[in-house]
Amino acid sequence: MAAAPPEPVQRFVELMDDPAVRSWLQGEIAARQADAPAAPATIASQTSLQDRLALGVSELRQGAADLLTAAGGLPDQMALLLARLRTELHDSGLIWAVALVFAFAACGFLCEYGYLRLTRQARRRILASEPPTADGRLAALGLRLLLAGCGIAAFAAGSIGAFAVFDWPPILKLIVLTVLAMIVLTRAAWIIAKVAIAPANPERRLLPLGDAAAAFGHAWFRVLTAVAIGGWLLVQLLQSLGAAPASADVVAAGLGFLVLALALVAAWRAVPHIRRYRATAEQAAEAELTWGADDFLPIMLSIVLPAVWLLWSVGARAVASTLLLLLATVTAIWTIRQIIEHVAHPGAAPGTPHPAPIAARMLRNLVLVVAGIVLLRIWGIDMTSLAADETPGARLLRGAVDAILIVLVADLGLHALRLTLERRLDAADDGADPDQASRRARLRTLLPIVRNVAMIGIAVMAVLTVLGSLGVEIGPLMAGAGVVGVAIGFGAQTLVKDIISGFFFLLDDAFRVGEYIESGSYKGVVESFSLRSVKLRHHRGPLYTVPFGSLGAIVNHSRDWVIDRLYVNVTYDTDLDLVKRLIKGIGRQLAADPAFAPDILETLKLQGVDEMGDFAIKLRLKMRTRPGRQFVVRRRAYAMIKTAFKDNGVSFGVPTVQVRDIEQAQAAAASMLAGPARSTG
């Protein structure tokens, strides 16, 4: 056991614990700092860039020297802290603190166990369900994280909450709360990692990782988070116990170096796992020796992390924090996108491009906003005071911050609108319900126009708002734009006519995408249209681009239903009742055929004799079908009529010409004339 500190040291420690002494010292330090001249800022503002760089290098050197000096005095500082702890905890206090940590940690685990037992059935149902849609999988992910978070909350309530109920000595309370907080934070990070990486459950893995890579990442993440959280709380504890700031900085630098070394080892050892996962089975052996893009991650970390640690250690914490924040922001955005894409498109090959879901864009913008707020705090920029400052620099900075927020909100609005409309368009293309065909066609017609107009409107409003936040007077711009718009309107009357005509065509629902229309000499299927023209695809292939103002009256051949008439010629000796029965049977067969039944609204039937021709009786048949399908049904009906007439001896009436030899005709005529004469004689 170490010797007790001298009596003057004990009295000094007791004085430092006195609240009145501490308050007086803090007031004196604040007053002296306020009265001290701001010489470095004045010099930095009046010197050149070269002088500023030299001053910065000098400050870094001074910071390094101060760090080395503090490292030399660290043993004495630790001895003082141990003496203070021994004095306040009365020799057996450390053992008592350890016992309290174990006791209240056990109480927390007991509360968590009770929560798990109470929610066992619900958790089993949630974990056993596998929603088929991307939204359902994301919702299930959030629910799993919520359940895990409730377990950690139960542990915190049973450990920290129960400990805080009782009255403890200040030093003992500080030590026990620090250790319990480390356990809570570390376990929370571990649970999040377990849900995200899922080393034992590939089906629920949020990141596109193989089994080996998942196990490796989960193990190293647990180590890194435990060391980082424990080191951070240890530094906070030393500062709360009254350690000198320089000594706390030395401890923080040492722990930071340990975290840095572990992170670099993990990054370099992760490269083979990532390569093996991204390579195919045939390329797996070759991928171990091939340089790829995955090697840039450890290289970047090997450059950025040591620079951050070095700058932080020598006192350039604003720059170090900025670099670390940039790295964390990029990593968070990439991780969020990977998780959401993997959940939304499970089983897709690594690197397969997918449209970013709205959740990914929302979380990305949220990360950027939080990063911006943290960056302002790092550099000591107070938005409240900045709002009241009317200097040019303050106005410019305030406008830049507002502009960034406006751009992020506008980007989120544009992306949400685009994805919503695309989802509606995809829903309009899916499904085979004939009753919804009209609604789907109308959606495919109107939604592209709505999307383009809305996106243009949001973009224009965002630009004007950004200009206004930067201090640009947008009133003259809008007035000038109005004058230019009037001038363009007078000079482009045809264009205005086309746009207005197109608006009324769409308002009247005259045609939709996919319908076959005819207007004057133009006819074809509507493929697409813009604000001023429509594209018609002729059935032989040519594509017409027709301005709306040139369309005129429109004949729509694809709306609602079509009555198709068929004509059949039969000979004069045909039994019409038999033909009627045959046509009726053919109509029943067509209506029962699953290939044609959805297209037939009224089946084939005989209307009767349409005309008594020179060589045949012309019969008229009728059926009602869906637009554009009459040709398919008609071809099938003609084929069935031919077969039925042949099987039942019904002949088609066709023009015939009888040709005879002239000599034979004369002989026949003479014999016909001679026959009566002989009979008379």
Side-chain angles (χ1 to χ4, degrees), residues 11-29:
R11 288 200 302 270
F12 174 75
V13 172
E14 292 175 358
L15 286 174
M16 291 299 297
D17 284 337
D18 190 350
V21 174
R22 286 189 177 183
S23 176
W24 181 83
L25 286 176
Q26 291 175 356
E28 285 293 319
I29 293 173

Side-chain angles (χ1 to χ4, degrees), residues 151-184:
I152 295 298
F155 174 84
S159 58
I160 298 177
F163 179 80
V165 171
F166 302 97
D167 190 15
W168 305 97
I171 300 298
L172 180 63
K173 184 176 182 181
L174 185 62
I175 294 174
V176 175
L177 284 179
T178 301
V179 177
L180 292 178
M182 184 187 70
I183 296 174
V184 171

Side-chain angles (χ1 to χ4, degrees), residues 22 74 77-82 84-85 171 174-175 178 230-253 255:
R22 286 189 177 183
L74 184 61
Q77 282 287 323
M78 293 298 103
L80 288 174
L81 289 178
L82 288 176
R84 181 184 177 187
L85 289 176
I171 300 298
L174 185 62
I175 294 174
T178 301
W232 175 69
L233 289 176
L234 177 59
V235 173
Q236 300 298 318
L237 177 62
L238 291 176
Q239 292 176 350
S240 300
L241 291 175
S247 300
D249 291 343
V250 173
V251 175
L255 293 173

Side-chain angles (χ1 to χ4, degrees), residues 208-273:
L209 297 173
D211 293 339
F216 174 86
H218 184 250
W220 275 95
F221 182 84
R222 289 164 66 95
V223 173
L224 285 172
T225 52
V227 174
I229 294 174
W232 175 69
L233 289 176
L234 177 59
V235 173
Q236 300 298 318
L237 177 62
L238 291 176
Q239 292 176 350
S240 300
L241 291 175
S247 300
D249 291 343
V250 173
V251 175
L255 293 173
F257 182 80
L258 177 60
V259 175
L260 166 66
L262 291 175
L264 292 180
V265 171
W268 281 105
R269 292 188 61 183
V271 172
H273 296 283

